[in-house]
Amino acid sequence: MLYMDLEYCKGVLFVRLDGNLTRKNTYKINQYLIPVLLKHRIKYLVYNLFSISNIDDAGMDAIIRTKYAMRSNQGSVYLCEVPENLKQRIKRLRIKQTDSEVTALNLLKV
């Protein structure tokens, strides 16, 4: 099961994920989150992965798709609070990482 909490603050969309990001529930990102990003032309996205316990290849692809959606909006994506057991997998995505949401907000300079 995957829970997704969205919060829009100061021009940045914070997406807090909780659970397992697997093939069974990537539709939440692919069919809900990405169309919202494109429709509202959101430029900055911060994923908080603190409560994620597992990500499979389909989950990695879903995160990459949001990266491409943000690129089409001339924006950027940050990952924060990545669990230690997932750091090596996430590193392959080549998405900027921070320690916390506050740090990401400061780096975005919004």
Side-chain angles (χ1 to χ4, degrees), residues 4-59:
M4 193 164 56
D5 177 37
L6 304 177
E7 180 183 351
Y8 188 74
C9 178
K10 296 183 182 180
V12 179
L13 181 64
F14 293 96
V15 178
R16 296 175 190 98
L17 300 176
D18 184 6
N20 294 318
L21 184 55
T22 59
R23 179 173 303 281
K24 286 170 67 173
N25 48 31
T26 56
Y27 72 91
K28 291 182 179 184
I29 292 176
N30 295 332
Q31 296 176 359
Y32 175 70
L33 181 62
I34 293 174
V36 167
L37 295 172
L38 295 173
K39 178 181 178 186
H40 297 288
R41 306 288 298 163
I42 295 172
K43 293 183 92 171
Y44 304 110
L45 176 71
V46 176
Y47 275 114
N48 186 327
L49 303 179
F50 179 75
S51 299
I52 285 287
S53 51
N54 187 27
I55 299 177
D56 67 0
D57 290 334

Side-chain angles (χ1 to χ4, degrees), residues 54-72:
N54 187 27
I55 299 177
D56 67 0
D57 290 334
M60 301 284 270
D61 289 342
I63 292 175
I64 289 172
R65 284 190 199 102
T66 58
K67 178 182 170 182
Y68 293 140
M70 297 310 292
R71 188 179 292 168
S72 71

Side-chain angles (χ1 to χ4, degrees), residues 63-64 67 77-79 90-91 93-97:
I63 292 175
I64 289 172
K67 178 182 170 182
V77 178
Y78 278 89
L79 301 174
I90 296 294
K91 193 174 186 179
L93 294 177
R94 294 168 48 199
I95 296 177
K96 300 170 215 155
Q97 296 183 29

